[in-house]
Amino acid sequence: MTAAAIVFLVALVGIVTLFAHKAYELRASRPIAPGLRDRADESALEFKRFLARSQDEIKKLPPEVAYLGRLVLHDLALGAAASARFIERQSRRLADLVSHQRGFQRKETNSAFLKQVSEHKNGNDLETTSEDGQNS
């Protein structure tokens, strides 16, 4: 908002200055710095031609920019996916490397208590219980 107000005030001051300059030239009946005015007019016309050429180029620009943006975004997405796959493979390798269960095979335990708990957990109780909660 502040930038727009500053641009507006600068433009307003420029327009007022141009009108004051023109009024002075009409009262004095002679132009001020005619050589400078001719060079400024030529520069203004060249700038106008540049803006017209730029406008034609800018009209072509959005489809090309959208296409290039899509290509860049597509390449970034593919790169991110490849990076994610690489990180996944490396994290699996790391987990296998630090895991103490890499070649884990369950052995039979010597503890009677652990055997009993294991059998109870697997539902292979050798003992059966009656309806009143007593072992038979």
Side-chain angles (χ1 to χ4, degrees), residues 27 52 55 71 97 108 130:
R27 270 185 278 137
Q55 190 174 15
L71 287 179
L97 180 68
E108 189 67 32
S130 62

Side-chain angles (χ1 to χ4, degrees), residues 71-90:
L71 287 179
V72 168
L73 189 61
H74 180 73
D75 288 345
L76 285 174
L78 289 177
S83 298
R85 283 191 302 270
F86 175 75
I87 290 170
E88 178 192 17
R89 283 192 299 272
Q90 295 304 318

Side-chain angles (χ1 to χ4, degrees), residues 60-129:
K60 299 177 201 173
L61 194 60
E64 293 168 357
V65 169
Y67 177 72
L68 289 175
R70 189 194 67 79
L71 287 179
V72 168
L73 189 61
H74 180 73
D75 288 345
L76 285 174
L78 289 177
S83 298
R85 283 191 302 270
F86 175 75
I87 290 170
E88 178 192 17
R89 283 192 299 272
Q90 295 304 318
S91 63
R92 286 185 181 270
R93 283 186 56 214
L94 178 64
D96 287 342
L97 180 68
V98 298
S99 175
H100 66 281
Q101 297 182 355
R102 188 175 14 219
F104 182 74
Q105 293 180 354
R106 189 174 297 267
K107 296 179 184 176
E108 189 67 32
T109 182
N110 292 332
S111 169
F113 174 74
L114 291 178
K115 285 181 186 179
Q116 198 176 29
V117 169
S118 176
E119 290 171 356
H120 178 73
K121 178 179 161 188
N122 293 332
N124 297 337
D125 286 342
L126 297 176
E127 300 177 20
T128 58
T129 56

Side-chain angles (χ1 to χ4, degrees), residues 6-42:
I6 290 172
V7 169
F8 172 74
L9 289 176
V10 168
L12 183 64
V13 168
I15 291 171
V16 169
T17 303
L18 285 174
F19 280 122
H21 180 74
K22 186 66 175 175
Y24 176 77
E25 284 183 347
L26 288 175
R27 270 185 278 137
S29 297
R30 65 181 176 90
I32 299 175
L36 179 63
R37 175 181 279 180
D38 291 339
R39 286 195 306 265
D41 286 345
E42 185 60 38

